Amino acid sequence: MKKLYVKTYGCQMNVYDSDRMAQLLRPHGYEMTDAPDDANIAIINTCHIREKATEKTFSEVGRFKKYRAKKRKAGEEGLLVVAGCVAQAEGAEIMRRAPYVDVVVGPQAYHRLPEMIAQAKRSIETFTGNPQVIDTDFPVESKFDHMPLPDSRSSLSSFLSIQEGCDKFCAFCVVPYTRGAEYSRSAAEILKEAEHLVNQGVKEITLLGQNVSAYKVQSPQGGTWGIGALCTEIANIEGLERIRYTTSHPRDMMDPDLIEAHRSCPKLMPFLHLPVQSGSDRILEAMNRKHTAKRYEEVIEVFREARPDMGFSSDFIVGFPGETEEDFEATLELIRKINYAQAYSFKYSPRPGTPAATLDLQVPTNIQDIRLERIQDLLFQQQRDFNNSFVGKTIPVLVEKLGNQKNQCLGKSPHQQSVQIESSHDIVGKIININITDAGLKVLMGRPESGLYVSDKTKI
Ligand code: 5AD
Ligand code: SF4
């Protein structure tokens, strides 16, 4: 077998896409390696969301230049592939700045990767220049029609892409340009993939989409199914224990099926990542979010009422063009009202081609830095308080792997917290009740509830 190395940046969908690319190449004789200098093909799966992420791509691509050259010098195959959203947005620029890149493939074209690699190899054999094969089209046919079912035999938790693209065009965001228009996969296709994952031992599925709450397809009965109906169907799969979905948009959340699913389906985890970006209506309008802070609070209230133990998460951007101290205070005020379980916050980063990049009144970096620190102080405090509220409680934890220390296993709580478990028994692969004894900003700690059977014979 030849060797394939994949480096993934960015969101969970890139993680899913990287796995699928690796799987597509396996029948062509490539197995995964962790050693980049050993790779016959190296794929860098890139993220374009903020400038920092994009710059990382270019430095990473530079790092791979020497590995590729070494392979070629030794007369072996050595190909460098740039995939993902930077490939989509800046394919030609990559080929110009890094002419040694052999293949550039956008996120909607990676089902063509084996063919593109064959094309690159043919041109290396027949002439001495760089092949520079590029495909950043948005093809009419869906890449999912060309994809084998995933191989998740070694994992308990798996991603499943159900929706891609975005039609919302927030003024700061590149996603509508890099991932294209909203597209929902058919329910039959998704259910088949979910059943296949569960048959392989997967216990938790996270449904993915850039705008997962905009999921919409025809139901088998002829009506429409949104994300709520889909979750309810997936919950019927025997052996599946946990369902999550991300990322949602406040504008699509008042789906009665979804609210009902959170109320009555125990497999649907009590955790919702619902980005708001800002708490100021003026800024929300400038961002083209098409909702107010009040509407966002109403959505949160509805979900809290349906599932009182729901934990909330969000994304925030500080220093969006025109953001005043008063706007920023409104964001802090919203955070105090909602009380988050966790959240991500970013400094606004102008992205070429997006409407906000050319707005007047860009906020200076030193003010962005101060606001980021202030928002994170508050969010981290809320996260610590949220985690501390579990001390003394017993919660079901999906135990995923052994930890680095002796007698330690690592798992995930229903609220997606990492849990360090002290246990002399191997409890990996199970959902075990854990007594939480301590908590930090990013972790809960605990021990299995005593009296539990971890196998037919072993009692804790
Ligand atoms: N600058 C800063 N943060 C951004 N995000 C998206 N675009 C930008 C940008 N130009 C953040 C948003 C989004 C998350 C995935 O990344 O908060 O929800
Ligand atoms: Fe980007 Fe807005 Fe679409 Fe989210 S909803 S992917 S932030 S454009």
Side-chain angles (χ1 to χ4, degrees), residues 270-274 276 279 293 296-298 300-301 303-304 307-316 330-344 375-390 393 415 417 441:
F271 186 79
L272 177 61
H273 179 61
L274 191 61
V276 64
Y296 178 83
E297 285 169 37
E298 283 164 7
I300 297 277
E301 271 321 300
F303 281 80
R304 228 172 221 153
R307 184 82 207 236
D309 64 341
M310 188 83 116
F312 294 94
S313 156
S314 184
D315 292 338
F316 296 92
T331 303
L332 296 179
E333 194 45 39
L334 177 87
I335 295 171
R336 286 187 203 102
K337 275 196 212 154
I338 305 285
N339 200 5
Y340 286 98
Q342 65 136 89
Y344 304 92
I375 200 170
Q376 290 189 340
D377 276 351
L378 178 58
L379 289 168
F380 290 164
Q381 192 49 51
Q382 292 192 345
Q383 186 168 347
R384 264 191 218 100
D385 291 348
F386 182 74
N387 288 347
N388 275 325
S389 73
F390 288 86
K393 289 190 181 149
H415 294 92
Q417 296 137 303
L441 173 65

Side-chain angles (χ1 to χ4, degrees), residues 153-157 201 203 397-405 407-412 419 421-432 434 448 453-455 460:
R153 268 168 295 190
S154 55
S155 55
L156 291 169
S157 179
K203 289 192 159 48
V397 175
L398 175 61
V399 188
E400 291 178 311
K401 54 185 176 197
L402 293 176
N404 293 331
Q405 283 160 33
N407 293 339
Q408 190 191 56
C409 297
L410 304 176
K412 284 274 154 59
V419 188
I421 307 154
E422 194 191 315
S423 169
S424 48
H425 299 284
D426 182 357
I427 50 175
V428 174
K430 300 186 171 66
I431 293 182
I432 298 270
I434 302 292
Y453 279 95
V454 292
S455 75
I460 291 176

Side-chain angles (χ1 to χ4, degrees), residues 210-280:
Q210 268 92 31
N211 237 297
V212 81
S213 48
Y215 179 82
K216 197 179 244 172
V217 288
Q218 275 220 321
S219 77
Q221 293 79 30
T224 54
W225 270 1
I227 175 80
L230 185 71
C231 286
T232 308
E233 280 302 311
I234 292 177
N236 290 330
I237 301 175
E238 212 171 304
L240 180 66
E241 311 262 8
R242 294 180 165 191
I243 303 169
R244 304 179 187 277
Y245 59 92
T246 196
T247 294
S248 308
H249 192 288
R251 256 157 70 195
D252 314 313
M253 291 305 287
M254 292 304 205
D255 164 10
D257 290 339
L258 183 62
I259 298 161
E260 183 50 36
H262 274 289
R263 193 188 305 278
S264 57
C265 173
K267 288 187 184 180
L268 193 54
M269 290 294 100
F271 186 79
L272 177 61
H273 179 61
L274 191 61
V276 64
Q277 316 295 355
S278 167
S280 151

